[in-house]
Amino acid sequence: MTAIATVILAAGAGSRMKSSKPKVLHEIAGRAMVSHLLGTVADLAPEKSIVVVAPNMDDVRREVSPAETAVQEEALGTGHAVAAALPNLAGFSGDILILYGDTPLITRQTLDKMIAARGEDDKTAVVVLGFVPDDPAEYGRLVTSGDGELQAIVEFADASTEIRAVNLCNSGVMAINGAYIKDLIGALDNKNSKGEFYLTDIIEIAVAQNLNCKVVVGDEEELLGVNNRMQLAQAEKIAQTLWRQRAMMAGATLIDPDSVFLCHDTSLGQDVVIEPNVFFGPAVTVGNNVRIKANSHIEGTTLGDGAQIGPFARLRPGAKIAEDVKIGNFVEVKKSTLEKGAKVSHLSYIGDARVGADANIGAGTITCNYDGYDKFKTDIGAGAFIGSNTSLVAPVKIGEGAIVGAGSTVTRSVEANALMVERADETQKSGWANRFRKLKTKLKK
Ligand code: UD1
Ligand code: MG
C-alpha cells in the first residue's frame, strides 16, 4: 500500500465567523474542529501529518501539538497553503490527503475510499471528494465530462449561472498523487475574482497535462464546511445526532435524545438512563445503571455504578462520585470525592472535599472552601451525619460517624462519633405572640 501523508489547512482568517478566535478552534461537541480531524487522521496512521497555520496562530499550534505544523506567511488561498506544506513533504513520495480544517466531520471510511480511488492507477493525479448538498450555496462546483472524469472545479465566485446550477460540489478534501503535487501546485496562479491561489485549480492543470482526475461522492452530513456560526450550529447538530445514536446503540436510554448534549469524549456505561435536558461537558465517564435526572450539567466527572444524579444537579471538574451515591436537586459538587453510598440530597455546595462512605449531608449544607485567596479542604468521615443548613468552614475534618446538629457553623474538627452543635440558646416566652398582636391592634385604633 502507498504511504500516506495528511495536510490539514487551518491558516485561513475565518473572517465569516466574526470571531477573535481562529476558525478551526471553534468547537463541535466540545472539541476544536481541527482536533476532530487530527483524531480521524490518526486512525489512518499516516507517515506524516502536517497542519498549516498562520504566523500568529500559537493557540492553534498548542491545540494540535505534538502534530507537525507548517506556516503559511500570508493567507493567499488554499493552493498557497498547500505550497507552504511542501517543504515538510520533501523526500515523501506517497499520496497526500488534503483536508480543510473547517470540514471536521469527515469519517475514516470516506478517507479510505479516497485513498483506494487514488491508488487505482498511476495516472490518477487527484481524487476529489464531492457531495450533493441540499443547498449548494457557495461551494465550488465540480465539472465532469460525460464519462464522469473530473474536468475542473469552479469556485462559486467565478462561476457562470450555468455552472452554479451544477449541484455536485467540492468538499475540499483531495487525495493527490505525490509524484505530481509539486508541479501542480507550482503551476497555480491567482487570476480569479478573489485574487487567491485556489487549490481547486490543480484539476484543470492536471487535465491539461493529460492526467486523470476523479470524484468520489460522499455524504453531506460529514462534509459540511463551517464558514459561519450558522454552519457551526448545523455541524454541531449533525455531530450530536451521531453521538446520541452511538450512546443509545451502546445501551444507554436517552428519554428525549434531542435534548441531551454529549461531548466528544462522553463515556456512558450500560443501562444508564438520561432524562431530558442534560448537558455533558468534557471528560465525563459514567458507570453502569446510573440515572441522570432532568436538567443536570456535568463536566470533568466520573460517576460510579448505580449513582443517581439530579434533577438540577451541577457536577464540576474533579467530581469523583462512587457507586450508589445520591446527588439530589440543586446540588453543586466541585473537585470532591464522594465515597460509596454517600448522600447529598438537596441544595448543597460540596467543594474541595471528601465525603466518606454512607455519610449523609443535610439540605443546605455548604463547604466554605474559599477565603477569597486560597482554597481549603473539608474531610467528612464515613457514616457522618451533617444536619441541614450547616456551614463547614474549611480546613475542617468531621470524624467518622459524627453528628453535626442542624444550623451549625463548624470551624474546628469534630471527633469520630461525637455530637457537635453550634447554636445560640433558644428562648421561649409563653403567650408572647398574643400579647404582641393585642398591643399592635390597640395602637392602630
Ligand atoms: C473551499 C473551496 C471550495 C469548497 C469549500 C468546501 C477553495 C478555493 N475553495 O472554499 O471549492 O467547496 O472549501 O468547504 O479551495 N485556508 C488556509 N489558507 C488560506 C485560505 C484557506 O489555510 O490562505 C484554510 C482555511 O483555514 C480553511 C480551509 O483552508 O480551513 C478552507 O478555506 P475557506 O476559506 O473556508 O474556503 P471556502 O471558501 O470554504
Ligand atoms: Mg470553508
Side-chain angles (χ1 to χ4, degrees):
M1 223 185 96
T2 332
I4 302 292
T6 60
V7 177
I8 298 174
L9 306 189
S15 50
R16 289 167 280 182
M17 293 298 281
K18 305 270 190 309
S19 174
S20 58
K21 179 160 94 171
K23 173 160 74 175
V24 298
L25 292 185
H26 283 265
E27 293 178 353
I28 309 279
R31 188 187 204 187
M33 289 199 271
V34 67
S35 297
H36 278 282
L37 282 171
L38 279 171
T40 309
V41 156
D43 288 346
L44 298 172
E47 194 170 307
K48 265 184 163 295
S49 175
I50 301 148
V51 181
V52 181
V53 298
N56 57 351
M57 286 184 174
D58 287 345
D59 38 6
V60 177
R61 276 170 191 277
R62 269 195 299 279
E63 173 69 27
V64 304
S65 166
E68 190 174 326
T69 51
V71 177
Q72 184 191 13
E73 292 297 337
E74 229 184 310
L76 299 179
T78 48
H80 186 259
V82 173
L86 290 180
N88 301 56
L89 293 168
F92 176 81
S93 58
D95 288 342
I96 294 112
L97 263 184
I98 310 285
L99 298 121
Y100 286 0
D102 67 352
T103 307
L105 301 176
I106 188 156
T107 62
R108 154 93 200 260
Q109 289 70 21
T110 303
L111 295 180
D112 282 342
K113 278 189 211 157
M114 302 275 299
I115 294 165
R118 205 333 276 137
E120 275 166 11
D121 62 77
D122 285 345
K123 265 190 87 185
T124 299
V126 187
V127 178
V128 172
L129 182 57
F131 68 127
V132 182
D134 275 349
D135 173 14
E138 299 193 351
Y139 289 114
R141 304 299 205 264
L142 301 187
V143 180
T144 50
S145 63
D147 58 6
E149 287 276 316
L150 182 61
Q151 298 297 306
I153 304 178
V154 184
E155 285 306 292
F156 178 80
D158 302 288
S160 62
T161 323
E162 244 179 8
I163 288 184
R164 285 183 183 183
V166 171
N167 58 6
L168 182 59
C169 292
N170 175 29
S171 71
V173 181
M174 287 188 188
I176 306 179
N177 186 330
Y180 304 117
I181 190 166
K182 219 170 147 203
D183 287 350
L184 294 174
I185 296 290
L188 290 174
D189 65 37
N190 63 353
K191 291 184 196 117
N192 50 55
S193 63
K194 288 192 181 165
E196 287 184 3
F197 293 87
Y198 293 160
L199 174 62
T200 45
D201 285 347
I202 65 169
I203 304 303
E204 273 181 286
I205 296 167
V207 170
Q209 292 177 13
N210 271 325
L211 296 167
N212 296 340
C213 296
K214 293 182 193 161
V215 185
V216 163
V217 179
D219 257 6
E220 174 173 19
E221 296 265 290
E222 56 177 276
L223 298 177
L224 176 79
V226 175
N227 298 309
N228 56 44
R229 311 263 183 164
M230 301 268 284
Q231 287 165 331
L232 183 69
Q234 266 176 286
E236 180 74 39
K237 201 167 189 173
I238 293 167
Q240 287 298 337
T241 304
L242 198 72
W243 261 257
R244 290 165 189 150
Q245 283 167 354
R246 278 191 206 150
M248 290 186 281
M249 293 311 282
T253 294
L254 274 55
I255 293 176
D256 175 24
D258 289 350
S259 73
V260 173
F261 288 81
L262 299 164
C263 197
H264 68 98
D265 60 354
T266 306
S267 156
L268 302 176
Q270 249 180 25
D271 293 313
V272 167
V273 177
I274 303 176
E275 296 184 3
N277 299 319
V278 173
F279 185 94
F280 291 91
V284 178
T285 302
V286 179
N288 299 328
N289 299 303
V290 170
R291 188 169 189 108
I292 301 174
K293 297 182 187 170
N295 301 302
S296 294
H297 188 283
I298 307 176
E299 52 189 331
T301 292
T302 53
L303 294 174
D305 295 350
Q308 295 223 30
I309 308 299
F312 294 97
R314 173 147 190 232
L315 304 180
R316 292 171 51 202
K320 294 194 178 68
I321 312 292
E323 309 92 90
D324 304 324
V325 164
K326 189 176 168 233
I327 305 275
N329 44 219
F330 306 107
V331 171
E332 175 181 349
V333 179
K334 184 219 79 170
K335 212 173 170 191
S336 294
T337 300
L338 276 70
E339 295 175 356
K340 190 171 191 254
K343 288 192 177 69
V344 190
S345 297
H346 337 260
L347 300 149
S348 276
Y349 172 60
I350 304 294
D352 301 302
R354 175 188 78 99
V355 179
D358 297 318
N360 187 87
I361 311 294
T365 294
I366 304 289
T367 54
C368 310
N369 60 329
Y370 184 49
D371 63 4
Y373 297 91
D374 294 301
K375 303 271 166 67
F376 300 95
K377 289 206 162 119
T378 301
D379 189 89
I380 299 169
F385 182 96
I386 312 294
S388 297
N389 200 28
T390 294
S391 299
L392 299 164
V393 184
V396 72
K397 196 169 170 174
I398 311 296
E400 278 187 18
I403 295 179
V404 174
S408 299
T409 297
V410 183
T411 57
R412 274 171 285 162
S413 290
V414 178
E415 284 167 29
N417 299 310
L419 166 69
M420 193 290 177
V421 196
E422 186 280 329
R423 206 182 277 166
D425 269 353
E426 293 172 36
T427 36
Q428 198 171 146
K429 296 181 179 172
S430 301
W432 186 94
N434 274 338
R435 290 199 295 280
F436 172 75
R437 283 191 284 267
K438 231 185 231 165
L439 177 67
K440 283 290 187 189
T441 319
K442 204 165 137 192
L443 288 174
K444 282 257 167 191
K445 278 182 185 161

